[in-house]
Amino acid sequence: MNTLSLIGRFVIEKVTGLLYSLGFTGRLLRETFFFFRRRQVAFKVLVMQILFTGVEALGISTVLAIGIGATINIIGSSILPQFGQGRLMYTLLIAIITRELGPLLTAFIITARSGTAIATELGGMVVSHEIEAYISVGIDPISYLAVPRFLGVTLSSFFLNIYFNVFGLLGSYIVLSYLRPIPFSEYYGGLMDAFRIIDIGTGLTKSLVFGALISIIATYQGFSVQRASTEVPQAGIRAVSYSLIALVIADGILTILSYQL
């Protein structure tokens, strides 16, 4: 087989895969629209997904948020006063935690935990013929398995991002109190003065988009497993890799758009 044939086959496989993934995403979004109207037993899957993705990730989010908030404060409080711009600390905290690092780091945590788990779980169900069993009794795997995971991860990303922001700003205050004790009311007032609607809106929008991307990629990779059990860990790796790439690209696009407003 010559080089031209190999390139042609590669391009055809990629285009076919892209069209299939777009079709999967469209079907997933359509089934999501009808999810709450059907009163399905999949509601239990949704609750379990929120518990796993959101509630069980609170511990690592707390540690990471406080650490990031403290680090930003230490760096900012040692540099900004040298230029007479100590007040910019509040703007810096809001911009970095609420607008940039909060949604992105939350998405990384969800990708590492839930993205891998969803892809390997669904891949294992394909290998063990559970998906075929659902289809044989008239249950749609996308409606019953993919939609609740999509909703669970997206909602968890949204609320986990808010939680990360609160503890990030709290960690910053703890360090600031140690370096330069100030009343909490003064710190709170400084943050409120620096807050802008666009900062909050951008961070929340990113968290929803990131959660949707992670869940779509993870479920798609899980269903892409064919027959061999050796494909299951590969699906998990692809879910993480593709999710990280998608997150970075989406973050860049949303950041550019937000600063154009």
PDB file of all heavy atoms in Angstrom, residues 10 12-13 20 31 43 123 132 140 146 153 166 177 195 206 219 231 238 242:
ATOM      1  N   PHE A  10      -6.336   7.479   6.263  1.00  0.00           N
ATOM      2  CA  PHE A  10      -6.270   8.224   7.520  1.00  0.00           C
ATOM      3  C   PHE A  10      -7.288   9.362   7.525  1.00  0.00           C
ATOM      4  O   PHE A  10      -8.020   9.570   8.502  1.00  0.00           O
ATOM      5  CB  PHE A  10      -4.851   8.768   7.721  1.00  0.00           C
ATOM      6  CG  PHE A  10      -4.694   9.642   8.934  1.00  0.00           C
ATOM      7  CD1 PHE A  10      -4.557   9.082  10.195  1.00  0.00           C
ATOM      8  CD2 PHE A  10      -4.682  11.030   8.816  1.00  0.00           C
ATOM      9  CE1 PHE A  10      -4.418   9.882  11.322  1.00  0.00           C
ATOM     10  CE2 PHE A  10      -4.540  11.839   9.933  1.00  0.00           C
ATOM     11  CZ  PHE A  10      -4.399  11.258  11.192  1.00  0.00           C
ATOM     12  N   ILE A  12     -10.014   9.663   5.673  1.00  0.00           N
ATOM     13  CA  ILE A  12     -11.390   9.134   5.679  1.00  0.00           C
ATOM     14  C   ILE A  12     -11.797   8.685   7.071  1.00  0.00           C
ATOM     15  O   ILE A  12     -12.913   8.960   7.532  1.00  0.00           O
ATOM     16  CB  ILE A  12     -11.495   7.957   4.688  1.00  0.00           C
ATOM     17  CG1 ILE A  12     -11.366   8.461   3.258  1.00  0.00           C
ATOM     18  CG2 ILE A  12     -12.821   7.222   4.872  1.00  0.00           C
ATOM     19  CD1 ILE A  12     -11.313   7.373   2.217  1.00  0.00           C
ATOM     20  N   GLU A  13     -10.879   8.018   7.790  1.00  0.00           N
ATOM     21  CA  GLU A  13     -11.194   7.571   9.150  1.00  0.00           C
ATOM     22  C   GLU A  13     -11.445   8.746  10.082  1.00  0.00           C
ATOM     23  O   GLU A  13     -12.361   8.728  10.916  1.00  0.00           O
ATOM     24  CB  GLU A  13     -10.050   6.711   9.687  1.00  0.00           C
ATOM     25  CG  GLU A  13      -9.942   5.347   9.018  1.00  0.00           C
ATOM     26  CD  GLU A  13      -8.757   4.564   9.547  1.00  0.00           C
ATOM     27  OE1 GLU A  13      -7.956   5.133  10.324  1.00  0.00           O
ATOM     28  OE2 GLU A  13      -8.624   3.383   9.174  1.00  0.00           O
ATOM     29  N   TYR A  20     -19.340  11.056  13.070  1.00  0.00           N
ATOM     30  CA  TYR A  20     -20.024  10.189  14.035  1.00  0.00           C
ATOM     31  C   TYR A  20     -20.114  10.867  15.403  1.00  0.00           C
ATOM     32  O   TYR A  20     -21.143  10.801  16.082  1.00  0.00           O
ATOM     33  CB  TYR A  20     -19.278   8.862  14.152  1.00  0.00           C
ATOM     34  CG  TYR A  20     -19.994   7.857  15.001  1.00  0.00           C
ATOM     35  CD1 TYR A  20     -21.068   7.121  14.505  1.00  0.00           C
ATOM     36  CD2 TYR A  20     -19.613   7.638  16.328  1.00  0.00           C
ATOM     37  CE1 TYR A  20     -21.739   6.209  15.293  1.00  0.00           C
ATOM     38  CE2 TYR A  20     -20.278   6.729  17.128  1.00  0.00           C
ATOM     39  CZ  TYR A  20     -21.337   6.012  16.602  1.00  0.00           C
ATOM     40  OH  TYR A  20     -22.005   5.123  17.389  1.00  0.00           O
ATOM     41  N   GLU A  31     -31.822  14.099  23.427  1.00  0.00           N
ATOM     42  CA  GLU A  31     -32.373  13.266  24.500  1.00  0.00           C
ATOM     43  C   GLU A  31     -32.348  14.005  25.836  1.00  0.00           C
ATOM     44  O   GLU A  31     -33.204  13.776  26.687  1.00  0.00           O
ATOM     45  CB  GLU A  31     -31.565  11.965  24.614  1.00  0.00           C
ATOM     46  CG  GLU A  31     -31.711  11.043  23.429  1.00  0.00           C
ATOM     47  CD  GLU A  31     -33.136  10.556  23.248  1.00  0.00           C
ATOM     48  OE1 GLU A  31     -33.821  10.330  24.260  1.00  0.00           O
ATOM     49  OE2 GLU A  31     -33.573  10.434  22.084  1.00  0.00           O
ATOM     50  N   PHE A  43     -33.036   8.879  36.508  1.00  0.00           N
ATOM     51  CA  PHE A  43     -32.868   9.970  37.466  1.00  0.00           C
ATOM     52  C   PHE A  43     -31.957   9.539  38.611  1.00  0.00           C
ATOM     53  O   PHE A  43     -31.199  10.347  39.150  1.00  0.00           O
ATOM     54  CB  PHE A  43     -34.240  10.390  38.008  1.00  0.00           C
ATOM     55  CG  PHE A  43     -34.197  11.616  38.872  1.00  0.00           C
ATOM     56  CD1 PHE A  43     -34.048  12.877  38.319  1.00  0.00           C
ATOM     57  CD2 PHE A  43     -34.273  11.504  40.246  1.00  0.00           C
ATOM     58  CE1 PHE A  43     -33.987  14.008  39.121  1.00  0.00           C
ATOM     59  CE2 PHE A  43     -34.225  12.624  41.057  1.00  0.00           C
ATOM     60  CZ  PHE A  43     -34.075  13.883  40.492  1.00  0.00           C
ATOM     61  N   GLY A 123     -17.219   1.594  28.710  1.00  0.00           N
ATOM     62  CA  GLY A 123     -16.461   0.645  27.900  1.00  0.00           C
ATOM     63  C   GLY A 123     -16.593  -0.776  28.438  1.00  0.00           C
ATOM     64  O   GLY A 123     -16.755  -1.734  27.675  1.00  0.00           O
ATOM     65  N   GLU A 132     -25.864  -4.206  24.794  1.00  0.00           N
ATOM     66  CA  GLU A 132     -26.728  -4.989  23.912  1.00  0.00           C
ATOM     67  C   GLU A 132     -27.980  -5.444  24.644  1.00  0.00           C
ATOM     68  O   GLU A 132     -29.075  -5.508  24.063  1.00  0.00           O
ATOM     69  CB  GLU A 132     -25.957  -6.205  23.382  1.00  0.00           C
ATOM     70  CG  GLU A 132     -24.789  -5.844  22.470  1.00  0.00           C
ATOM     71  CD  GLU A 132     -24.042  -7.081  22.010  1.00  0.00           C
ATOM     72  OE1 GLU A 132     -24.469  -8.198  22.355  1.00  0.00           O
ATOM     73  OE2 GLU A 132     -23.012  -6.931  21.323  1.00  0.00           O
ATOM     74  N   ASP A 140     -32.966   2.769  25.500  1.00  0.00           N
ATOM     75  CA  ASP A 140     -31.976   3.530  24.728  1.00  0.00           C
ATOM     76  C   ASP A 140     -30.749   3.806  25.601  1.00  0.00           C
ATOM     77  O   ASP A 140     -30.869   4.513  26.611  1.00  0.00           O
ATOM     78  CB  ASP A 140     -32.599   4.841  24.268  1.00  0.00           C
ATOM     79  CG  ASP A 140     -31.641   5.645  23.404  1.00  0.00           C
ATOM     80  OD1 ASP A 140     -30.526   5.159  23.142  1.00  0.00           O
ATOM     81  OD2 ASP A 140     -32.005   6.763  23.005  1.00  0.00           O
ATOM     82  N   ALA A 146     -26.047   7.828  28.967  1.00  0.00           N
ATOM     83  CA  ALA A 146     -25.229   8.995  28.626  1.00  0.00           C
ATOM     84  C   ALA A 146     -25.831  10.305  29.148  1.00  0.00           C
ATOM     85  O   ALA A 146     -25.114  11.148  29.691  1.00  0.00           O
ATOM     86  CB  ALA A 146     -25.045   9.072  27.109  1.00  0.00           C
ATOM     87  N   VAL A 153     -22.406  15.629  35.286  1.00  0.00           N
ATOM     88  CA  VAL A 153     -21.071  16.237  35.212  1.00  0.00           C
ATOM     89  C   VAL A 153     -21.175  17.740  34.964  1.00  0.00           C
ATOM     90  O   VAL A 153     -20.441  18.539  35.565  1.00  0.00           O
ATOM     91  CB  VAL A 153     -20.230  15.561  34.104  1.00  0.00           C
ATOM     92  CG1 VAL A 153     -18.932  16.327  33.880  1.00  0.00           C
ATOM     93  CG2 VAL A 153     -19.939  14.119  34.471  1.00  0.00           C
ATOM     94  N   VAL A 166     -15.231  30.255  46.282  1.00  0.00           N
ATOM     95  CA  VAL A 166     -15.431  30.668  47.673  1.00  0.00           C
ATOM     96  C   VAL A 166     -14.217  30.293  48.528  1.00  0.00           C
ATOM     97  O   VAL A 166     -13.681  31.131  49.271  1.00  0.00           O
ATOM     98  CB  VAL A 166     -16.712  30.014  48.242  1.00  0.00           C
ATOM     99  CG1 VAL A 166     -16.802  30.260  49.742  1.00  0.00           C
ATOM    100  CG2 VAL A 166     -17.938  30.565  47.536  1.00  0.00           C
ATOM    101  N   SER A 177      -4.387  37.604  56.333  1.00  0.00           N
ATOM    102  CA  SER A 177      -4.510  37.901  57.761  1.00  0.00           C
ATOM    103  C   SER A 177      -3.225  37.588  58.508  1.00  0.00           C
ATOM    104  O   SER A 177      -2.879  38.258  59.487  1.00  0.00           O
ATOM    105  CB  SER A 177      -5.668  37.088  58.357  1.00  0.00           C
ATOM    106  OG  SER A 177      -6.877  37.420  57.735  1.00  0.00           O
ATOM    107  N   PHE A 195     -15.279  43.210  42.052  1.00  0.00           N
ATOM    108  CA  PHE A 195     -16.160  42.294  41.326  1.00  0.00           C
ATOM    109  C   PHE A 195     -16.821  42.998  40.155  1.00  0.00           C
ATOM    110  O   PHE A 195     -17.292  44.116  40.255  1.00  0.00           O
ATOM    111  CB  PHE A 195     -17.257  41.758  42.254  1.00  0.00           C
ATOM    112  CG  PHE A 195     -17.014  40.346  42.694  1.00  0.00           C
ATOM    113  CD1 PHE A 195     -16.989  40.016  44.034  1.00  0.00           C
ATOM    114  CD2 PHE A 195     -16.803  39.338  41.762  1.00  0.00           C
ATOM    115  CE1 PHE A 195     -16.757  38.717  44.451  1.00  0.00           C
ATOM    116  CE2 PHE A 195     -16.576  38.034  42.166  1.00  0.00           C
ATOM    117  CZ  PHE A 195     -16.553  37.728  43.524  1.00  0.00           C
ATOM    118  N   LYS A 206     -17.851  29.272  31.583  1.00  0.00           N
ATOM    119  CA  LYS A 206     -16.772  28.312  31.343  1.00  0.00           C
ATOM    120  C   LYS A 206     -17.051  26.990  32.053  1.00  0.00           C
ATOM    121  O   LYS A 206     -16.826  25.912  31.490  1.00  0.00           O
ATOM    122  CB  LYS A 206     -15.442  28.891  31.840  1.00  0.00           C
ATOM    123  CG  LYS A 206     -14.826  29.933  30.916  1.00  0.00           C
ATOM    124  CD  LYS A 206     -13.465  30.353  31.449  1.00  0.00           C
ATOM    125  CE  LYS A 206     -12.783  31.324  30.495  1.00  0.00           C
ATOM    126  NZ  LYS A 206     -11.452  31.745  30.989  1.00  0.00           N
ATOM    127  N   THR A 219     -18.331   9.965  27.539  1.00  0.00           N
ATOM    128  CA  THR A 219     -19.357   9.002  27.127  1.00  0.00           C
ATOM    129  C   THR A 219     -19.113   8.503  25.708  1.00  0.00           C
ATOM    130  O   THR A 219     -19.295   7.314  25.422  1.00  0.00           O
ATOM    131  CB  THR A 219     -20.763   9.632  27.212  1.00  0.00           C
ATOM    132  OG1 THR A 219     -20.765  10.890  26.510  1.00  0.00           O
ATOM    133  CG2 THR A 219     -21.166   9.879  28.655  1.00  0.00           C
ATOM    134  N   GLU A 231      -9.374  -2.607  25.234  1.00  0.00           N
ATOM    135  CA  GLU A 231      -9.751  -1.287  24.715  1.00  0.00           C
ATOM    136  C   GLU A 231     -10.261  -0.370  25.824  1.00  0.00           C
ATOM    137  O   GLU A 231     -10.287   0.851  25.652  1.00  0.00           O
ATOM    138  CB  GLU A 231     -10.848  -1.432  23.658  1.00  0.00           C
ATOM    139  CG  GLU A 231     -10.438  -2.193  22.426  1.00  0.00           C
ATOM    140  CD  GLU A 231     -11.603  -2.328  21.457  1.00  0.00           C
ATOM    141  OE1 GLU A 231     -12.252  -1.306  21.195  1.00  0.00           O
ATOM    142  OE2 GLU A 231     -11.883  -3.438  20.991  1.00  0.00           O
ATOM    143  N   ARG A 238      -7.886   8.043  26.263  1.00  0.00           N
ATOM    144  CA  ARG A 238      -8.338   8.971  25.212  1.00  0.00           C
ATOM    145  C   ARG A 238      -9.303  10.007  25.787  1.00  0.00           C
ATOM    146  O   ARG A 238      -9.274  11.181  25.400  1.00  0.00           O
ATOM    147  CB  ARG A 238      -9.020   8.197  24.084  1.00  0.00           C
ATOM    148  CG  ARG A 238      -8.073   7.431  23.184  1.00  0.00           C
ATOM    149  CD  ARG A 238      -8.770   7.072  21.876  1.00  0.00           C
ATOM    150  NE  ARG A 238      -9.976   6.295  22.092  1.00  0.00           N
ATOM    151  CZ  ARG A 238     -10.017   4.963  22.211  1.00  0.00           C
ATOM    152  NH1 ARG A 238      -8.895   4.273  22.098  1.00  0.00           N
ATOM    153  NH2 ARG A 238     -11.156   4.331  22.409  1.00  0.00           N
ATOM    154  N   TYR A 242      -8.216  13.828  25.211  1.00  0.00           N
ATOM    155  CA  TYR A 242      -9.052  14.679  24.366  1.00  0.00           C
ATOM    156  C   TYR A 242      -9.769  15.752  25.193  1.00  0.00           C
ATOM    157  O   TYR A 242      -9.986  16.876  24.717  1.00  0.00           O
ATOM    158  CB  TYR A 242     -10.073  13.838  23.603  1.00  0.00           C
ATOM    159  CG  TYR A 242      -9.459  12.903  22.578  1.00  0.00           C
ATOM    160  CD1 TYR A 242     -10.147  11.786  22.104  1.00  0.00           C
ATOM    161  CD2 TYR A 242      -8.182  13.121  22.078  1.00  0.00           C
ATOM    162  CE1 TYR A 242      -9.592  10.928  21.165  1.00  0.00           C
ATOM    163  CE2 TYR A 242      -7.606  12.279  21.156  1.00  0.00           C
ATOM    164  CZ  TYR A 242      -8.321  11.177  20.700  1.00  0.00           C
ATOM    165  OH  TYR A 242      -7.752  10.328  19.781  1.00  0.00           O
TER     166      TYR A 242
END
